[in-house]
Amino acid sequence: VQLQASGGGLVQPGGSLKLSCVASGSIFSINAMAWYRQAPGKQRELVARITSLGSTNYTDSVKGRFTISRDTPKKSVYLQMNSLKPEDTAVYYCNADVTTFQLRMTSAWGQGTLVTVSS
């Protein structure tokens, strides 16, 4: 199972970016999908999570600014980030709880995409 994230880049404070992540491989089903981030010198933290039924939760610092969504047939998850702040600067990782065709459950990670918020 592989996750491929994209969409990071340099953006000015107040700007927007949309991250995308697509899963591939021996995937029977995907349960929850999520975005994490890790800023320099800090631990990786959960940013947003969406279940297979569409329930979402966000870390407090991004509520009202970020929106997570998914396209189940496309095995994809997205993160729309608005009103970006310098403290949002981090490497963003997508994550998916996957059941494979061999009926093994695994937590897969993408390679990370860098988001830099700076003027």
Side-chain angles (χ1 to χ4, degrees):
V1 176
Q2 299 86 35
L3 297 183
Q4 181 68 44
S6 61
L10 173 64
V11 63
Q12 292 187 342
S16 298
L17 278 178
K18 185 175 183 178
L19 306 182
S20 300
C21 177
V22 59
S24 62
S26 180
I27 298 171
F28 175 72
S29 66
I30 302 177
N31 190 7
M33 305 184 82
W35 288 95
Y36 288 74
R37 67 185 179 188
Q38 186 166 19
K42 295 187 176 182
Q43 289 188 327
R44 189 175 298 189
E45 65 168 348
L46 174 65
V47 176
R49 182 176 181 270
I50 184 167
T51 70
S52 58
L53 297 180
S55 295
T56 59
N57 63 279
Y58 300 88
T59 191
D60 286 346
S61 63
V62 308
K63 286 180 180 177
R65 300 188 298 122
F66 290 11
T67 302
I68 189 170
S69 61
R70 66 188 287 173
D71 186 328
T72 298
K74 293 184 178 180
K75 300 184 180 66
S76 296
V77 63
Y78 310 97
L79 186 68
Q80 177 66 47
M81 305 185 294
N82 299 327
S83 302
L84 282 160
K85 304 175 181 180
E87 51 263 43
D88 295 318
T89 295
V91 178
Y92 284 71
Y93 299 90
C94 56
N95 171 263
D97 292 333
V98 172
T99 300
T100 69
F101 283 118
Q102 294 75 33
L103 300 182
R104 286 188 296 109
M105 298 179 69
T106 186
S107 183
W109 291 89
Q111 83 286 7
T113 184
L114 176 62
V115 172
T116 303
V117 184
S118 175
S119 55

